[in-house]
Amino acid sequence: ALGQGSDLEKAFATMALVYNNNADPEGKLSRAETKSLLQTQFWHFIQGQENKPKYQEIISDLDEEPENKIDFEDFMMTLVMLTLMSDLLQEIKNVKKPK
């Protein structure tokens, strides 16, 4: 559907597809599934972040209250938080795309 979409639209569509492909019939992920999905699909962003207090807070939050599920909005907020604290973000900022 987004074959002609912008790079940003395609990136967002990919995030939505990954989430939806892993969500339960109610459209939610368990906290354990969320943690696993982040560790397998977002590995390059979280690699090396284990000692950062904010990372530890986010991951420990996923380990608590396993009966509570994560909806798409909370999943996206988690991705944003992990992206903002990632060392990879600084590397990406330093890359200049040719015009």
Coordinates of all heavy atoms in Angstrom, one line a residue:
A1 N 0.8 -1.2 0.0 CA 0.0 0.0 0.0 C 0.9 1.3 0.0 O 0.4 2.3 -0.5 CB -0.9 0.0 1.2
L2 N 2.1 1.1 0.5 CA 2.9 2.3 0.6 C 4.1 2.2 -0.4 O 5.2 2.8 -0.1 CB 3.5 2.5 2.0 CG 2.5 3.1 3.0 CD1 3.1 3.2 4.4 CD2 2.0 4.5 2.6
G3 N 3.9 1.5 -1.5 CA 5.0 1.4 -2.4 C 5.5 2.7 -2.9 O 6.7 2.8 -3.2
Q4 N 4.7 3.7 -3.0 CA 5.1 5.0 -3.4 C 5.3 6.0 -2.2 O 5.5 7.1 -2.4 CB 4.1 5.6 -4.4 CG 3.9 4.8 -5.7 CD 5.2 4.6 -6.5 OE1 6.0 5.6 -6.6 NE2 5.5 3.4 -7.0
G5 N 5.2 5.4 -1.0 CA 5.3 6.3 0.1 C 6.7 6.8 0.4 O 7.7 6.3 -0.2
S6 N 6.8 7.8 1.2 CA 8.1 8.3 1.6 C 8.9 7.3 2.5 O 8.3 6.4 3.0 CB 8.0 9.6 2.4 OG 7.4 9.4 3.6
D7 N 10.2 7.6 2.6 CA 11.0 6.7 3.5 C 10.4 6.7 4.9 O 10.4 5.6 5.6 CB 12.4 7.2 3.6 CG 13.2 6.9 2.3 OD1 12.7 6.2 1.4 OD2 14.3 7.6 2.1
L8 N 10.0 7.8 5.4 CA 9.4 7.9 6.8 C 8.1 7.1 6.9 O 7.9 6.4 7.8 CB 9.2 9.3 7.2 CG 8.8 9.6 8.6 CD1 9.8 9.0 9.6 CD2 8.7 11.1 8.9
E9 N 7.3 7.2 5.9 CA 6.0 6.5 5.9 C 6.3 5.0 5.8 O 5.6 4.2 6.5 CB 5.1 6.9 4.7 CG 4.6 8.3 4.8 CD 3.9 8.8 3.5 OE1 4.4 8.5 2.4 OE2 2.9 9.5 3.7
K10 N 7.2 4.6 5.0 CA 7.6 3.1 4.9 C 8.2 2.6 6.2 O 7.8 1.5 6.7 CB 8.6 2.9 3.8 CG 8.0 3.1 2.4 CD 9.0 3.0 1.3 CE 8.5 3.3 0.0 NZ 9.5 3.3 -1.1
A11 N 9.0 3.5 6.9 CA 9.6 3.1 8.2 C 8.5 2.9 9.2 O 8.5 1.9 10.0 CB 10.6 4.1 8.6
F12 N 7.5 3.8 9.3 CA 6.4 3.7 10.2 C 5.6 2.5 9.9 O 5.1 1.8 10.8 CB 5.6 5.0 10.3 CG 4.7 5.0 11.5 CD1 5.2 5.6 12.6 CD2 3.4 4.5 11.4 CE1 4.4 5.6 13.8 CE2 2.6 4.6 12.5 CZ 3.1 5.1 13.7
A13 N 5.3 2.3 8.6 CA 4.5 1.1 8.2 C 5.2 -0.2 8.7 O 4.5 -1.1 9.1 CB 4.2 1.1 6.7
T14 N 6.5 -0.2 8.5 CA 7.2 -1.4 8.9 C 7.1 -1.6 10.4 O 6.9 -2.8 10.9 CB 8.7 -1.3 8.5 OG1 8.8 -1.2 7.1 CG2 9.5 -2.5 9.0
M15 N 7.2 -0.6 11.2 CA 7.0 -0.7 12.7 C 5.7 -1.3 13.0 O 5.5 -2.1 13.9 CB 7.3 0.6 13.4 CG 8.7 1.1 13.4 SD 9.0 2.6 14.3 CE 8.4 3.8 13.2
A16 N 4.7 -0.7 12.4 CA 3.3 -1.2 12.6 C 3.1 -2.6 12.2 O 2.5 -3.4 12.9 CB 2.3 -0.3 11.9
L17 N 3.7 -3.0 11.1 CA 3.6 -4.4 10.6 C 4.3 -5.4 11.6 O 3.8 -6.4 11.9 CB 4.2 -4.6 9.2 CG 3.3 -4.1 8.1 CD1 4.1 -4.1 6.8 CD2 2.1 -5.0 7.9
V18 N 5.5 -5.0 12.0 CA 6.2 -5.9 13.0 C 5.4 -6.0 14.3 O 5.3 -7.1 14.8 CB 7.6 -5.3 13.3 CG1 8.3 -6.0 14.5 CG2 8.5 -5.4 12.0
Y19 N 4.9 -4.9 14.8 CA 4.1 -5.0 16.0 C 2.8 -5.9 15.7 O 2.6 -6.8 16.5 CB 3.6 -3.6 16.4 CG 2.7 -3.6 17.6 CD1 3.3 -3.6 18.9 CD2 1.4 -3.7 17.5 CE1 2.5 -3.7 20.0 CE2 0.6 -3.8 18.7 CZ 1.1 -3.8 19.9 OH 0.3 -3.9 21.0
N20 N 2.1 -5.6 14.7 CA 0.9 -6.4 14.4 C 1.1 -7.8 14.2 O 0.3 -8.7 14.6 CB 0.1 -5.8 13.2 CG -0.5 -4.4 13.6 OD1 -0.8 -4.2 14.7 ND2 -0.7 -3.6 12.6
N21 N 2.2 -8.2 13.6 CA 2.5 -9.6 13.3 C 2.9 -10.3 14.6 O 2.9 -11.6 14.6 CB 3.7 -9.7 12.3 CG 3.3 -9.4 10.9 OD1 2.1 -9.5 10.6 ND2 4.2 -9.0 10.1
N22 N 3.2 -9.6 15.7 CA 3.5 -10.2 16.9 C 2.5 -10.1 18.0 O 2.5 -10.7 19.0 CB 4.9 -9.7 17.4 CG 6.0 -10.2 16.6 OD1 6.5 -11.2 16.8 ND2 6.4 -9.4 15.6
A23 N 1.5 -9.2 17.7 CA 0.4 -8.9 18.7 C -0.6 -10.1 18.8 O -0.8 -10.8 17.8 CB -0.2 -7.6 18.4
D24 N -1.3 -10.1 19.9 CA -2.4 -11.1 20.1 C -3.6 -10.6 19.3 O -3.6 -9.5 18.7 CB -2.6 -11.4 21.6 CG -3.2 -10.2 22.3 OD1 -3.6 -9.2 21.7 OD2 -3.1 -10.2 23.6
P25 N -4.7 -11.4 19.3 CA -5.9 -11.0 18.6 C -6.5 -9.7 19.1 O -7.2 -9.0 18.4 CB -6.9 -12.2 18.9 CG -6.0 -13.4 19.1 CD -4.8 -12.8 19.8
E26 N -6.2 -9.3 20.3 CA -6.7 -8.0 20.8 C -5.8 -6.9 20.4 O -6.0 -5.7 20.8 CB -6.7 -8.1 22.4 CG -7.8 -9.0 22.9 CD -7.7 -9.1 24.4 OE1 -6.8 -8.6 25.1 OE2 -8.6 -9.8 24.9
G27 N -4.7 -7.2 19.7 CA -3.8 -6.1 19.2 C -2.8 -5.7 20.3 O -2.3 -4.5 20.3
K28 N -2.4 -6.6 21.2 CA -1.5 -6.2 22.3 C -0.4 -7.3 22.4 O -0.5 -8.4 21.9 CB -2.2 -6.1 23.6 CG -3.2 -5.0 23.6 CD -3.8 -4.8 25.0 CE -4.8 -3.5 24.9 NZ -5.2 -3.2 26.3
L29 N 0.7 -6.9 23.1 CA 1.8 -7.8 23.3 C 2.0 -7.9 24.8 O 1.8 -7.0 25.6 CB 3.1 -7.2 22.8 CG 3.4 -7.1 21.3 CD1 4.6 -6.3 21.0 CD2 3.4 -8.4 20.7
S30 N 2.3 -9.1 25.2 CA 2.7 -9.3 26.7 C 4.0 -8.5 26.9 O 4.7 -8.2 25.9 CB 2.9 -10.8 27.0 OG 4.1 -11.3 26.5
R31 N 4.3 -8.3 28.1 CA 5.6 -7.6 28.4 C 6.8 -8.5 28.0 O 7.8 -8.0 27.5 CB 5.6 -7.2 29.9 CG 4.7 -6.1 30.2 CD 4.7 -5.8 31.7 NE 3.8 -4.7 32.0 CZ 4.1 -3.4 31.8 NH1 5.3 -3.0 31.4 NH2 3.2 -2.4 32.1
A32 N 6.7 -9.8 28.2 CA 7.7 -10.7 27.8 C 7.9 -10.7 26.3 O 9.0 -10.7 25.8 CB 7.5 -12.1 28.3
E33 N 6.8 -10.7 25.6 CA 6.9 -10.6 24.1 C 7.5 -9.3 23.6 O 8.3 -9.3 22.7 CB 5.5 -10.8 23.5 CG 4.9 -12.2 23.7 CD 3.4 -12.2 23.3 OE1 2.7 -11.3 23.6 OE2 3.0 -13.3 22.8
T34 N 7.1 -8.2 24.3 CA 7.7 -6.9 24.0 C 9.2 -6.9 24.2 O 9.9 -6.5 23.3 CB 7.0 -5.8 24.8 OG1 5.6 -5.8 24.6 CG2 7.6 -4.5 24.5
K35 N 9.6 -7.4 25.3 CA 11.1 -7.5 25.6 C 11.8 -8.4 24.6 O 12.8 -8.0 24.0 CB 11.3 -8.1 27.0 CG 12.7 -8.1 27.4 CD 12.9 -8.6 28.9 CE 14.3 -8.7 29.3 NZ 14.4 -9.2 30.7
S36 N 11.2 -9.5 24.2 CA 11.8 -10.4 23.2 C 11.9 -9.7 21.9 O 12.9 -9.8 21.1 CB 11.0 -11.7 23.2 OG 11.5 -12.5 22.1
L37 N 10.8 -9.0 21.5 CA 10.7 -8.4 20.2 C 11.8 -7.3 20.1 O 12.5 -7.1 19.1 CB 9.3 -7.8 20.0 CG 9.1 -7.1 18.6 CD1 9.2 -8.2 17.5 CD2 7.6 -6.6 18.6
L38 N 12.0 -6.5 21.2 CA 13.0 -5.5 21.2 C 14.4 -6.1 21.1 O 15.2 -5.6 20.4 CB 12.9 -4.7 22.5 CG 11.7 -3.8 22.6 CD1 11.6 -3.2 24.0 CD2 11.7 -2.7 21.6
Q39 N 14.6 -7.2 21.8 CA 15.9 -7.8 21.8 C 16.2 -8.5 20.4 O 17.4 -8.6 20.1 CB 16.0 -8.9 22.9 CG 16.0 -8.2 24.2 CD 15.9 -9.2 25.4 OE1 15.3 -10.3 25.2 NE2 16.5 -8.9 26.5
T40 N 15.2 -8.8 19.7 CA 15.5 -9.5 18.4 C 15.4 -8.5 17.2 O 16.1 -8.6 16.2 CB 14.5 -10.6 18.1 OG1 13.2 -10.2 18.1 CG2 14.8 -11.8 19.1
Q41 N 14.5 -7.5 17.3 CA 14.2 -6.6 16.1 C 14.8 -5.2 16.3 O 14.8 -4.4 15.4 CB 12.7 -6.5 15.9 CG 12.0 -7.7 15.4 CD 12.3 -8.0 14.0 OE1 12.4 -7.1 13.2 NE2 12.5 -9.3 13.7
F42 N 15.3 -4.9 17.5 CA 15.8 -3.6 17.8 C 17.2 -3.7 18.5 O 17.7 -2.8 19.1 CB 14.8 -2.9 18.8 CG 14.8 -1.4 18.5 CD1 14.4 -0.9 17.3 CD2 15.0 -0.5 19.6 CE1 14.4 0.5 17.1 CE2 15.0 0.9 19.4 CZ 14.6 1.4 18.2
W43 N 17.9 -4.8 18.2 CA 19.1 -5.2 18.8 C 20.2 -4.1 18.6 O 20.9 -3.8 19.5 CB 19.6 -6.5 18.3 CG 20.8 -7.0 18.9 CD1 20.9 -7.6 20.2 CD2 22.1 -7.0 18.4 NE1 22.2 -7.9 20.4 CE2 23.0 -7.5 19.4 CE3 22.7 -6.5 17.2 CZ2 24.4 -7.6 19.2 CZ3 24.0 -6.6 17.0 CH2 24.9 -7.1 18.0
H44 N 20.3 -3.6 17.4 CA 21.4 -2.7 17.1 C 21.3 -1.4 17.9 O 22.2 -0.7 18.3 CB 21.5 -2.3 15.6 CG 22.1 -3.5 14.8 ND1 21.3 -4.4 14.2 CD2 23.3 -3.9 14.6 CE1 22.0 -5.3 13.6 NE2 23.3 -5.0 13.8
F45 N 20.0 -1.0 18.2 CA 19.8 0.2 19.0 C 20.1 0.0 20.5 O 20.5 0.9 21.2 CB 18.4 0.8 18.8 CG 18.3 1.6 17.6 CD1 18.0 1.1 16.3 CD2 18.4 3.0 17.6 CE1 17.9 1.8 15.2 CE2 18.3 3.8 16.5 CZ 18.0 3.2 15.3
I46 N 19.8 -1.2 21.0 CA 19.9 -1.4 22.4 C 21.3 -2.0 22.8 O 21.6 -2.1 24.0 CB 18.8 -2.3 23.0 CG1 18.7 -3.7 22.4 CG2 17.4 -1.5 22.8 CD1 17.6 -4.6 23.0
Q47 N 22.0 -2.5 21.8 CA 23.3 -3.1 22.1 C 24.2 -2.1 22.8 O 24.3 -0.9 22.4 CB 24.0 -3.5 20.7 CG 25.3 -4.1 20.9 CD 25.9 -4.4 19.5 OE1 25.5 -4.0 18.5 NE2 27.0 -5.2 19.6
G48 N 24.8 -2.5 23.9 CA 25.7 -1.7 24.7 C 25.0 -0.7 25.6 O 25.7 0.1 26.3
Q49 N 23.7 -0.8 25.7 CA 23.0 0.2 26.6 C 22.7 -0.4 28.0 O 22.1 0.3 28.8 CB 21.6 0.6 25.9 CG 21.7 1.1 24.5 CD 22.7 2.2 24.4 OE1 22.6 3.2 25.0 NE2 23.7 2.1 23.5
E50 N 23.1 -1.6 28.2 CA 22.7 -2.4 29.4 C 23.0 -1.7 30.7 O 22.3 -1.8 31.7 CB 23.3 -3.8 29.4 CG 22.8 -4.6 28.2 CD 23.6 -4.4 27.0 OE1 24.6 -3.7 27.0 OE2 23.2 -5.0 25.9
N51 N 24.1 -0.9 30.7 CA 24.5 -0.2 31.9 C 23.9 1.1 32.2 O 24.1 1.7 33.2 CB 26.0 -0.1 32.0 CG 26.7 -1.5 32.1 OD1 26.2 -2.4 32.7 ND2 27.8 -1.6 31.4
K52 N 23.1 1.6 31.2 CA 22.5 2.9 31.4 C 21.3 2.8 32.3 O 20.4 1.9 32.1 CB 22.1 3.5 30.0 CG 23.3 3.9 29.2 CD 22.8 4.5 27.9 CE 24.0 5.0 27.0 NZ 23.6 5.6 25.8
P53 N 21.1 3.7 33.3 CA 20.0 3.6 34.2 C 18.6 3.6 33.5 O 17.7 2.9 33.9 CB 20.2 4.8 35.1 CG 21.6 5.1 35.0 CD 22.1 4.7 33.7
K54 N 18.5 4.4 32.5 CA 17.2 4.5 31.8 C 16.9 3.2 31.1 O 15.7 2.8 31.1 CB 17.2 5.7 30.8 CG 15.9 6.0 30.2 CD 14.8 6.4 31.2 CE 13.5 6.7 30.6 NZ 12.5 7.0 31.6
Y55 N 17.9 2.6 30.4 CA 17.7 1.3 29.8 C 17.2 0.3 30.8 O 16.3 -0.5 30.6 CB 18.9 0.8 29.1 CG 18.8 -0.6 28.5 CD1 18.2 -0.7 27.3 CD2 19.2 -1.7 29.2 CE1 18.1 -2.0 26.7 CE2 19.0 -3.0 28.7 CZ 18.5 -3.1 27.4 OH 18.3 -4.4 26.9
Q56 N 17.9 0.2 32.0 CA 17.6 -0.7 33.0 C 16.2 -0.5 33.5 O 15.5 -1.4 33.8 CB 18.6 -0.6 34.2 CG 20.0 -1.1 33.8 CD 21.0 -0.8 34.8 OE1 20.8 -0.2 35.8 NE2 22.2 -1.3 34.6
E57 N 15.8 0.8 33.6 CA 14.4 1.1 34.1 C 13.4 0.6 33.1 O 12.4 0.0 33.5 CB 14.3 2.6 34.2 CG 12.9 3.1 34.6 CD 12.9 4.6 34.7 OE1 13.9 5.3 35.0 OE2 11.8 5.1 34.4
I58 N 13.6 0.8 31.8 CA 12.7 0.4 30.8 C 12.6 -1.2 30.8 O 11.4 -1.7 30.8 CB 13.1 0.9 29.4 CG1 13.0 2.4 29.3 CG2 12.3 0.2 28.3 CD1 13.7 3.0 28.1
I59 N 13.7 -1.8 30.8 CA 13.7 -3.3 30.8 C 13.1 -3.9 32.0 O 12.3 -4.8 32.0 CB 15.1 -3.9 30.5 CG1 15.5 -3.5 29.1 CG2 15.1 -5.4 30.6 CD1 14.6 -3.9 27.9
S60 N 13.4 -3.3 33.2 CA 12.8 -3.8 34.4 C 11.3 -3.6 34.5 O 10.6 -4.4 35.0 CB 13.5 -3.2 35.7 OG 13.2 -1.9 35.8
D61 N 10.9 -2.5 33.9 CA 9.4 -2.3 33.8 C 8.8 -3.4 33.0 O 7.6 -3.8 33.3 CB 9.2 -0.9 33.2 CG 7.7 -0.6 33.1 OD1 7.0 -0.7 34.2 OD2 7.2 -0.1 32.1
L62 N 9.4 -3.9 31.9 CA 8.9 -5.0 31.2 C 8.9 -6.3 31.9 O 8.1 -7.2 31.6 CB 9.6 -5.1 29.8 CG 9.5 -4.0 28.8 CD1 10.4 -4.2 27.6 CD2 8.0 -3.8 28.4
D63 N 9.8 -6.4 32.9 CA 9.8 -7.6 33.7 C 8.8 -7.7 34.8 O 8.5 -8.7 35.3 CB 11.2 -7.8 34.3 CG 12.3 -8.2 33.3 OD1 11.9 -8.8 32.2 OD2 13.4 -7.8 33.5
E64 N 8.3 -6.5 35.2 CA 7.3 -6.4 36.2 C 5.9 -6.5 35.6 O 5.6 -6.2 34.5 CB 7.4 -5.0 36.9 CG 8.7 -4.8 37.7 CD 8.9 -3.5 38.3 OE1 7.9 -2.7 38.3 OE2 10.0 -3.2 38.8
E65 N 5.0 -6.9 36.5 CA 3.5 -7.0 36.1 C 3.3 -7.7 34.8 O 2.8 -7.1 33.8 CB 2.9 -5.6 36.1 CG 3.0 -4.9 37.4 CD 2.4 -3.5 37.4 OE1 1.4 -3.4 36.8 OE2 3.1 -2.6 37.9
P66 N 3.8 -8.9 34.6 CA 3.7 -9.6 33.3 C 2.3 -9.8 32.8 O 2.1 -9.9 31.6 CB 4.3 -11.0 33.6 CG 4.3 -11.2 35.1 CD 4.3 -9.8 35.7
E67 N 1.3 -9.7 33.7 CA -0.1 -9.8 33.2 C -0.6 -8.6 32.4 O -1.5 -8.6 31.6 CB -1.1 -10.1 34.3 CG -1.3 -9.0 35.3 CD -0.1 -8.8 36.4 OE1 0.8 -9.6 36.4 OE2 -0.2 -7.9 37.2
N68 N 0.1 -7.4 32.6 CA -0.3 -6.2 31.9 C 0.3 -6.3 30.5 O 1.5 -6.7 30.3 CB 0.3 -5.0 32.6 CG -0.4 -4.7 33.9 OD1 -1.5 -5.2 34.1 ND2 0.2 -3.9 34.7
K69 N -0.5 -6.0 29.5 CA 0.0 -6.0 28.1 C 0.3 -4.6 27.6 O -0.2 -3.6 28.1 CB -1.1 -6.7 27.3 CG -1.3 -8.2 27.7 CD -2.0 -9.0 26.7 CE -2.0 -10.4 27.0 NZ -2.6 -11.2 26.0
I70 N 1.0 -4.6 26.5 CA 1.5 -3.4 25.9 C 0.7 -3.2 24.6 O 0.6 -4.1 23.8 CB 3.0 -3.5 25.5 CG1 3.9 -3.9 26.7 CG2 3.5 -2.3 24.8 CD1 4.0 -2.8 27.7
D71 N 0.1 -2.0 24.5 CA -0.6 -1.7 23.3 C 0.4 -1.0 22.3 O 1.6 -0.7 22.6 CB -1.8 -0.8 23.5 CG -1.5 0.5 24.1 OD1 -0.4 1.0 24.2 OD2 -2.5 1.1 24.7
F72 N -0.1 -0.7 21.1 CA 0.8 -0.2 20.1 C 1.4 1.2 20.5 O 2.6 1.4 20.3 CB 0.1 0.0 18.7 CG 0.9 0.5 17.6 CD1 1.9 -0.3 17.1 CD2 0.7 1.8 17.1 CE1 2.7 0.2 16.1 CE2 1.5 2.2 16.0 CZ 2.5 1.5 15.5
E73 N 0.6 2.0 21.1 CA 1.1 3.3 21.5 C 2.2 3.2 22.6 O 3.2 3.9 22.4 CB -0.1 4.2 22.1 CG -1.1 4.6 21.1 CD -2.1 3.5 20.8 OE1 -2.1 2.4 21.4 OE2 -2.9 3.7 19.8
D74 N 2.0 2.3 23.5 CA 3.1 2.1 24.5 C 4.3 1.5 23.9 O 5.5 1.9 24.3 CB 2.6 1.3 25.7 CG 1.6 2.0 26.6 OD1 1.6 3.2 26.6 OD2 0.8 1.3 27.2
F75 N 4.1 0.6 23.0 CA 5.3 0.0 22.2 C 6.1 1.1 21.5 O 7.3 1.1 21.6 CB 4.8 -1.0 21.3 CG 5.8 -1.7 20.5 CD1 6.7 -2.6 21.1 CD2 6.0 -1.4 19.1 CE1 7.7 -3.3 20.3 CE2 7.0 -2.0 18.4 CZ 7.8 -2.9 19.0
M76 N 5.4 2.0 20.8 CA 6.0 3.1 20.1 C 6.8 4.0 21.0 O 7.9 4.5 20.7 CB 5.0 3.8 19.2 CG 4.5 3.0 18.1 SD 5.8 2.4 17.0 CE 6.4 3.9 16.3
M77 N 6.2 4.3 22.2 CA 6.8 5.2 23.2 C 8.1 4.5 23.7 O 9.1 5.2 23.9 CB 5.9 5.5 24.3 CG 4.7 6.4 23.9 SD 5.2 8.0 23.2 CE 6.0 8.7 24.6
T78 N 8.1 3.2 23.9 CA 9.3 2.5 24.3 C 10.3 2.5 23.2 O 11.5 2.8 23.5 CB 8.9 1.0 24.6 OG1 7.9 1.0 25.6 CG2 10.1 0.2 25.1
L79 N 10.0 2.4 22.0 CA 10.9 2.5 20.9 C 11.6 3.9 20.8 O 12.8 4.0 20.7 CB 10.2 2.2 19.5 CG 9.9 0.8 19.2 CD1 9.3 0.7 17.8 CD2 11.2 -0.1 19.2
V80 N 10.7 4.9 21.0 CA 11.3 6.3 21.0 C 12.3 6.5 22.1 O 13.4 7.0 21.9 CB 10.1 7.3 21.1 CG1 10.6 8.7 21.3 CG2 9.3 7.3 19.8
M81 N 11.9 6.0 23.3 CA 12.8 6.2 24.5 C 14.1 5.5 24.3 O 15.2 6.0 24.5 CB 12.1 5.7 25.8 CG 11.0 6.6 26.3 SD 10.4 6.2 27.9 CE 9.6 4.6 27.5
L82 N 14.0 4.2 23.8 CA 15.3 3.5 23.5 C 16.1 4.1 22.4 O 17.3 4.1 22.5 CB 14.9 2.0 23.2 CG 14.4 1.2 24.4 CD1 13.9 -0.2 23.9 CD2 15.4 1.0 25.4
T83 N 15.5 4.6 21.4 CA 16.2 5.3 20.3 C 16.9 6.5 20.8 O 18.1 6.7 20.5 CB 15.2 5.6 19.2 OG1 14.6 4.5 18.7 CG2 15.9 6.3 18.0
L84 N 16.2 7.3 21.6 CA 16.8 8.6 22.1 C 18.0 8.4 22.9 O 18.9 9.2 22.9 CB 15.8 9.4 22.8 CG 14.7 10.0 21.9 CD1 13.6 10.7 22.8 CD2 15.2 11.0 20.9
M85 N 18.1 7.3 23.7 CA 19.2 7.0 24.5 C 20.3 6.2 23.9 O 21.4 6.1 24.4 CB 18.7 6.3 25.8 CG 18.1 5.0 25.5 SD 17.7 4.1 27.0 CE 19.3 3.3 27.3
S86 N 20.1 5.7 22.7 CA 21.0 4.8 22.0 C 22.2 5.5 21.5 O 22.1 6.6 20.9 CB 20.3 4.1 20.9 OG 21.2 3.3 20.1
D87 N 23.4 4.9 21.6 CA 24.6 5.4 21.0 C 24.5 5.4 19.5 O 25.1 6.2 18.8 CB 25.8 4.6 21.5 CG 26.0 4.6 23.0 OD1 25.7 5.6 23.6 OD2 26.6 3.6 23.5
L88 N 23.7 4.5 19.0 CA 23.5 4.4 17.5 C 22.9 5.6 17.0 O 23.2 6.0 15.9 CB 22.7 3.1 17.2 CG 22.5 2.8 15.7 CD1 23.9 2.7 15.0 CD2 21.7 1.6 15.5
L89 N 22.0 6.3 17.7 CA 21.4 7.5 17.3 C 22.4 8.6 16.9 O 22.3 9.3 15.9 CB 20.4 8.0 18.3 CG 19.6 9.3 17.9 CD1 18.8 9.1 16.6 CD2 18.8 9.8 19.0
Q90 N 23.5 8.7 17.8 CA 24.5 9.7 17.5 C 25.3 9.4 16.3 O 25.6 10.3 15.5 CB 25.5 9.8 18.7 CG 26.4 11.0 18.6 CD 25.7 12.3 18.4 OE1 24.8 12.6 19.1 NE2 26.2 13.1 17.4
E91 N 25.5 8.1 16.0 CA 26.2 7.7 14.8 C 25.3 8.0 13.6 O 25.9 8.5 12.6 CB 26.5 6.2 14.8 CG 27.5 5.7 15.8 CD 27.7 4.2 15.8 OE1 27.7 3.6 14.7 OE2 28.0 3.7 16.9
I92 N 24.0 7.8 13.7 CA 23.1 8.1 12.6 C 23.1 9.6 12.3 O 23.1 10.0 11.2 CB 21.7 7.6 12.9 CG1 21.7 6.0 12.9 CG2 20.7 8.1 11.9 CD1 20.5 5.4 13.5
K93 N 23.1 10.4 13.4 CA 23.1 11.8 13.2 C 24.3 12.3 12.5 O 24.3 13.4 11.8 CB 23.0 12.5 14.6 CG 21.7 12.4 15.2 CD 21.7 13.2 16.6 CE 20.3 13.2 17.2 NZ 20.4 13.9 18.5
N94 N 25.4 11.6 12.6 CA 26.7 12.0 12.0 C 26.8 11.6 10.5 O 27.7 12.0 9.8 CB 27.9 11.4 12.8 CG 28.0 12.1 14.1 OD1 27.6 13.2 14.4 ND2 28.6 11.3 15.1
V95 N 25.9 10.8 10.1 CA 25.9 10.4 8.7 C 25.1 11.4 7.8 O 24.0 11.7 8.1 CB 25.2 9.0 8.5 CG1 25.1 8.6 7.0 CG2 26.0 7.9 9.3
K96 N 25.7 11.9 6.8 CA 25.1 12.8 5.9 C 24.7 12.1 4.6 O 25.6 11.5 4.0 CB 26.0 14.0 5.6 CG 26.5 14.8 6.8 CD 25.3 15.5 7.4 CE 25.8 16.4 8.5 NZ 24.8 16.7 9.5
K97 N 23.5 12.1 4.3 CA 23.0 11.5 3.1 C 23.3 12.4 1.9 O 23.0 13.6 1.9 CB 21.5 11.2 3.2 CG 20.9 10.5 2.0 CD 19.4 10.2 2.2 CE 18.9 9.5 1.0 NZ 17.5 9.3 1.1
P98 N 23.9 11.8 0.8 CA 24.1 12.6 -0.4 C 22.8 13.1 -1.0 O 21.8 12.4 -1.0 CB 24.9 11.7 -1.3 CG 24.8 10.3 -0.7 CD 24.3 10.4 0.7
K99 N 22.9 14.4 -1.5 CA 21.7 15.0 -2.1 C 21.6 14.7 -3.5 O 22.4 14.4 -4.2 CB 21.7 16.5 -1.8 CG 21.5 16.8 -0.3 CD 21.5 18.3 -0.1 CE 21.3 18.5 1.4 NZ 21.1 19.9 1.7

